[in-house]
Amino acid sequence: MSADHWVDQIKWDDKGLVPAIAQDYQTGQVLMMAWMNRESLLLTEHEQRAVYWSRSRAQLWRKGEESGHVQKLHSLHLDCDADVVLLKVEQIGGIACHTGRPHCFFKCLEAGQWLEDVAVAKDPKEIYNHE
């Protein structure tokens, strides 16, 4: 790859990661935030589906590989500082969060407390096959 390859223009952190925000391409709803490394970002662009880097498992994570809730890529964007990527996606199945909600930002600060303001769309026990 040449030095001016699009992925080389990203400012990776000291662990080789960049924050990645997934947003619904139609509604603009922020669905989730995850991390990407160089390989996951290249795979995302190549496969036209969200592929993240799982810090807890230290491995690639194709969104929806267990749940079926794939994020189909519509466009990829880089912020002005080149240190955050934005994926505009179609959220297959309407559930982005492992809690069974449409998105991960379901806690709202009210009177000094985090209150859940988005209902569970599907019980996670029905989504994931963890035995």
Side-chain angles (χ1 to χ4, degrees), residues 35-44 51-53 60:
W35 295 91
M36 294 181 133
N37 64 8
R38 183 184 183 93
E39 182 182 9
S40 67
L41 187 55
L42 288 167
L43 285 168
T44 294
V51 181
Y52 300 108
W53 177 256
L60 291 172

Side-chain angles (χ1 to χ4, degrees), residues 95 98-100 120-128:
I95 296 174
H98 74 281
T99 66
V120 171
K122 188 171 186 179
D123 186 333
K125 292 176 190 155
E126 297 175 29
I127 299 171
Y128 301 99

Side-chain angles (χ1 to χ4, degrees), residues 43-62:
L43 285 168
T44 294
E45 193 273 332
H46 177 73
E47 296 179 12
Q48 293 294 291
R49 67 173 283 186
V51 181
Y52 300 108
W53 177 256
S54 170
R55 295 181 304 166
S56 60
R57 297 185 309 239
Q59 66 184 35
L60 291 172
W61 159 43
R62 283 174 171 79

Side-chain angles (χ1 to χ4, degrees), residues 61-76:
W61 159 43
R62 283 174 171 79
K63 179 69 175 156
E65 62 192 351
E66 279 189 62
S67 66
H69 300 140
V70 172
Q71 290 176 343
K72 181 180 173 188
L73 185 67
H74 279 257
S75 60
L76 193 57

